[in-house]
Amino acid sequence: MSIRVSERSGTGGSRLTLHHGTNQSGMRDHNERVVLSLLRQHGSLAKTAIARMTGLSAQTSSIIMRMLEADELLSREEPLRGRIGQPLIPMSLNPEGAFFFGLKIGRRSADLVLIDFIGRIRSMLHMPYDYPTPEPIFSFAATGLTQMMEALTPKQRERVAGIGIAAPFELWKWADTVGAPQAVMDEWRDCDIRARVAALCSFPVYLQNDMTAACGAELVFGQTKDINDFVYFYIGSFIGGGIVINGGLYAGRSGNAGALGSMPVPGPDGTARQLIDIASITALERDVTELGRDPSPLWASPEDWGEMGVELDAWIERAGKAIAQAVIASSSVVDFEAAIIDGWMPSSVRARIVDAVRRHVETFDLEGIQLPAIFEGTVGIHARALGAASLPLSDRYLLGQKLFRKGS
């Protein structure tokens, strides 16, 4: 996507006109989003760099950045000296500019996180459980929101811009898989999650599928600045994923695009299975339990699973092969630049899975398919909670898709 900006002078001063299909009232908002999105991608930029990347004049980019600075969304950095002429003054996002809550409702635990404008976690609460039930989770959210809001200054409270919720859609269908009584899980069937959370706060509430939200976290906070199209796999209790096309999160008609866990792949015995049955952590849990060992570190210690032996090796091999098949199948539909793999696991395990995927993709017939680059995700175990918090951030302050690549 490209934009053209023209400037008109008159009694009202400089005015921006965007030839972007937006109406006149939304033009200033769009221009501010352009600047904020560029600063999020690049970290800090001077107004001359903003002007060069957008095609705006230095004067116009300066006006926009002054408005954002006046709103306390930007901060001035130390001047860059040693050049001819006036020193350049880089601008960056002000961490105190806005705050966002994220609520992750998982199949084995819930998390409530508060992040600042640059995506830094300010506080986080965690609640483990055997399976999710509505009332304890909403009680956890109510208590946590009160506790976190009270820890903020009055000015910071005024700058809370929303809460995002990341939750599996149709939770009641997962009773057998999570080992929960169907009657208990049926409580989710008529539960309006967004409305229940909205009753706890006075700011906007957003809801997204948990795996799509995790993909959004990689897009907003991860190291994907140079990648416009990627397929994303998140290995949690169950594996799922998301899709980014043209630099924007693609949720699809029902919000469930990128339901990669449902993708059919050959199982170890050659029969058709779903990816979720092979590459999910619950599959590893089952193997560990059958060997008479304690699987609790898989859920309680995502950064350190302790000593695991052949069962972990075997699961990584099976998961790597199945994900490799899913990467190839996905790439036959969309010409992705990259496949990104992350999950609720130690970074060393994630690295081994990525290595296994890279190794296995080379064993398949790739004729007619341009294989994407295969990378580790960079957000890690909190991707779903951070993805939830990214929903209000993206909606209020960022572009729907990237207009610029890093280095452009």
Side-chain angles (χ1 to χ4, degrees):
M1 181 182 294
S2 62
I3 61 172
R4 288 189 297 114
V5 182
S6 61
E7 302 169 68
R8 300 174 183 173
S9 59
T11 57
S14 179
R15 184 157 60 103
L16 305 184
T17 302
L18 267 161
H19 303 274
H20 184 67
T22 59
N23 58 39
Q24 188 71 24
S25 63
M27 289 176 181
R28 172 187 167 184
D29 178 62
H30 178 83
N31 279 278
E32 291 178 346
R33 287 170 183 258
V34 168
V35 172
L36 293 172
S37 297
L38 281 172
L39 289 171
R40 181 162 296 280
Q41 290 181 47
H42 294 265
S44 65
L45 292 168
K47 64 183 179 184
T48 53
I50 293 285
R52 183 179 68 254
M53 291 176 171
T54 61
L56 292 165
S57 70
Q59 178 189 11
T60 302
S61 63
S62 179
I63 291 171
I64 295 172
M65 295 176 83
R66 280 203 304 271
M67 290 190 297
L68 292 172
E69 185 181 13
D71 289 338
E72 299 185 39
L73 295 176
L74 300 186
S75 297
R76 291 174 179 253
E77 297 188 354
E78 289 296 318
L80 300 177
R81 303 186 185 278
R83 303 167 57 114
I84 298 175
Q86 292 293 322
L88 296 178
I89 302 176
M91 303 289 286
S92 60
L93 300 179
N94 176 13
E96 297 285 316
F99 298 88
F100 314 90
F101 284 103
L103 174 65
K104 181 213 80 177
I105 301 174
R107 297 171 181 87
R108 294 300 184 98
S109 65
D111 293 306
L112 181 67
V113 64
L114 174 68
I115 67 170
D116 60 25
F117 200 38
I118 62 173
R120 183 173 55 200
I121 295 176
R122 291 296 185 96
S123 56
M124 189 169 195
L125 295 172
H126 177 74
M127 182 177 75
Y129 40 68
D130 292 331
Y131 47 81
T133 50
E135 296 312 317
I137 288 175
F138 294 127
S139 177
F140 163 75
T143 302
L145 283 169
T146 299
Q147 177 182 325
M148 290 181 178
M149 287 291 283
E150 288 178 348
L152 298 176
T153 67
K155 183 175 182 179
Q156 288 172 329
R157 288 181 207 137
E158 293 176 356
R159 289 184 169 269
V160 174
I163 179 170
I165 308 164
F169 288 169
E170 300 183 336
L171 265 167
W172 58 89
K173 292 184 177 180
W174 297 90
D176 289 342
T177 315
V178 299
Q182 185 62 58
V184 173
M185 295 301 287
D186 278 343
E187 295 177 19
W188 291 103
R189 191 181 296 272
D190 299 318
C191 179
D192 188 334
I193 297 175
R194 191 201 307 266
R196 290 294 301 272
V197 173
L200 304 176
C201 58
S202 60
F203 31 81
V205 179
Y206 303 76
L207 176 66
Q208 183 56 272
N209 174 274
D210 60 335
M211 295 302 180
T212 303
C215 182
E218 188 67 40
L219 178 65
V220 175
F221 304 121
Q223 304 300 312
T224 62
K225 310 288 192 302
D226 293 319
I227 305 173
N228 268 11
D229 307 291
F230 63 86
V231 58
Y232 174 86
F233 296 84
Y234 187 87
I235 306 171
S237 301
F238 304 104
I239 190 171
I243 294 172
V244 169
I245 296 177
N246 292 331
L249 191 63
Y250 179 73
R253 173 177 53 85
S254 64
N256 207 34
L260 301 170
S262 301
M263 184 174 289
V265 297
D269 59 357
T271 60
R273 305 278 295 279
Q274 285 193 329
L275 182 65
I276 197 172
D277 297 324
I278 301 172
S280 299
I281 296 177
T282 50
L284 174 59
E285 179 189 39
R286 183 175 59 248
D287 295 342
V288 172
T289 303
E290 288 176 353
L291 290 172
R293 299 179 58 181
D294 178 16
S296 61
L298 297 175
W299 313 116
S301 309
E303 295 174 322
D304 182 8
W305 283 353
E307 293 297 324
M308 289 195 179
V310 294
E311 66 272 23
L312 177 61
D313 298 337
W315 176 73
I316 288 175
E317 189 68 11
R318 291 193 302 271
K321 184 175 182 179
I323 295 171
Q325 292 168 320
V327 168
I328 293 169
S330 301
S331 300
S332 68
V333 179
V334 178
D335 187 18
F336 290 111
E337 297 175 64
I340 297 175
I341 302 167
D342 208 341
W344 178 268
M345 62 185 62
S347 57
S348 58
V349 175
R350 181 181 63 196
R352 290 180 61 190
I353 291 175
V354 170
D355 286 343
V357 174
R358 289 171 177 163
R359 178 163 35 84
H360 279 293
V361 293
E362 298 296 339
T363 67
F364 295 103
D365 183 0
L366 300 176
E367 184 175 356
I369 298 175
Q370 184 69 37
L371 191 66
I374 300 170
F375 300 125
E376 292 183 55
T378 57
V379 178
I381 60 175
H382 299 310
R384 288 168 292 176
L386 288 172
S390 77
L391 298 174
L393 188 159
S394 296
D395 183 67
R396 300 287 294 275
Y397 296 102
L398 303 180
L399 292 167
Q401 57 186 357
K402 297 175 186 174
L403 295 184
F404 312 97
R405 290 193 177 192
K406 195 169 184 178
S408 61

